[in-house]
Amino acid sequence: MTLRIAMWSGPRNLSTAMMRSFSNRADTFVSDEPFYGAYLRETGDPQPMAEEVMADMDCDWHSVAATLQGRAPDGSSVWYQKHMSHHMEGPISIEDFPDHRHAFLIRDPRRVAASYANKRTAIRPEHLGTARQREYFERISDRLGAPPPVIDSADILSDPEAVLARLCEALGIAWDPGMLTWTKGPHPNDGVWQSHWYDAVNTSTGFGPPPGDLPVLSKEYAAVANSCMNDYEALARFRIVAR
């Protein structure tokens, strides 16, 4: 039986480093943004490498969802699925995954906007995915009668072992110290877009240093970040921290 973990993140959230971390577990298979192609086909969002992404992926919402509810492709006992919450613009939502264990990876929107600015020429609040993360968090909390795990990228970078060990506990899986390191370079399960987006993580072998001072943003990017702060702060109240 496969234990399926859906990690709901936004872009530039330490999400790929987290995927690397889980991929280094002996018991885990990872998937990289499986709804990305469907999102691009649904919305026409002019993202880098959009045509290459759609050509490389299953772009049917229902087909992707059905696959994600099965066994891990390599038979692993844990299947970690990295999801971008802002991708969920089609007929599939978190409600279609009642048997997954859901978790939420958040980051201060001001840091997200600054990182995203290096890769795009324009962003909207929807691109950060924070509002949908909060919506999904509240849906799962209502269904379970308790909040699902929330982790903040700043807390992970400040004490990765403590925070990830507590995340594993919350997900009902054993802590594996192998999650603290990984092999440098691309991963076999990276999406085709890794050549554009994953330059920093591909040079890493583990989590980086704690975050420094908040970035200075242009007026445009500051407005985007500010519009996401209420949702971020609502989620951050539930975040897992080191004991």
Side-chain angles (χ1 to χ4, degrees):
M1 182 176 179
T2 299
L3 186 158
R4 295 176 295 275
I5 297 168
M7 180 62 78
W8 298 95
S9 179
R12 322 308 294 168
N13 262 27
L14 203 74
S15 59
T16 306
M18 282 291 293
M19 184 175 68
R20 290 282 190 278
S21 173
F22 272 85
S23 74
N24 214 42
R25 293 177 59 96
D27 62 355
T28 300
F29 181 85
V30 301
S31 289
D32 191 9
E33 303 180 27
F35 287 107
Y36 194 10
Y39 162 79
L40 291 171
R41 182 162 291 175
E42 181 86 17
T43 64
D45 191 7
Q47 296 208 12
M49 301 183 67
E51 292 301 324
E52 293 94 326
V53 172
M54 288 186 287
D56 189 65
M57 299 187 74
D58 182 352
C59 296
D60 180 88
W61 292 95
H62 295 285
S63 173
V64 174
T67 297
L68 295 174
Q69 294 178 78
R71 292 181 58 84
D74 69 346
S76 292
S77 59
V78 178
W79 187 357
Y80 180 89
Q81 300 169 5
K82 169 194 166 191
H83 291 291
M84 293 289 109
S85 57
H86 72 287
H87 286 171
M88 307 307 289
E89 292 289 343
I92 299 297
S93 79
I94 199 169
E95 302 293 349
D96 294 291
F97 302 100
D99 298 322
H100 281 60
R101 298 187 186 179
H102 299 279
F104 295 82
L105 174 61
I106 62 174
R107 188 184 188 192
D108 189 308
R110 292 165 291 187
R111 297 190 187 279
V112 177
S115 181
Y116 220 168
N118 294 328
K119 294 292 185 179
R120 296 178 64 99
T121 57
I123 56 171
R124 305 187 305 273
E126 293 81 6
H127 284 131
L128 274 64
T130 320
R132 181 159 284 122
Q133 281 184 300
R134 183 179 181 180
E135 173 198 346
Y136 280 7
F137 172 84
E138 291 174 348
R139 288 197 201 181
I140 296 301
S141 296
D142 288 345
R143 194 182 82 197
L144 297 178
V150 177
I151 49 173
D152 192 303
S153 65
D155 295 323
I156 297 168
L157 294 175
S158 296
D159 194 341
E161 181 170 2
V163 174
L164 291 178
R166 292 201 65 197
L167 172 64
C168 289
E169 179 183 8
L171 291 170
I173 60 177
W175 161 243
D176 184 341
M179 296 176 69
L180 297 174
T181 59
W182 50 83
T183 302
K184 184 184 294 187
H187 187 277
N189 292 338
D190 286 348
V192 68
W193 53 89
Q194 68 85 18
S195 61
H196 178 83
W197 295 102
Y198 296 174
D199 48 339
V201 77
N202 283 344
T203 64
S204 71
T205 58
F207 292 100
D213 295 337
L214 285 168
V216 176
L217 298 172
S218 68
K219 183 178 180 180
E220 175 188 4
Y221 280 86
V224 170
N226 288 340
S227 71
C228 298
M229 286 300 297
N230 284 342
D231 292 323
Y232 165 74
E233 289 170 350
L235 291 165
R237 289 198 293 269
F238 297 92
R239 75 190 199 280
I240 291 171
V241 295
R243 288 190 175 96

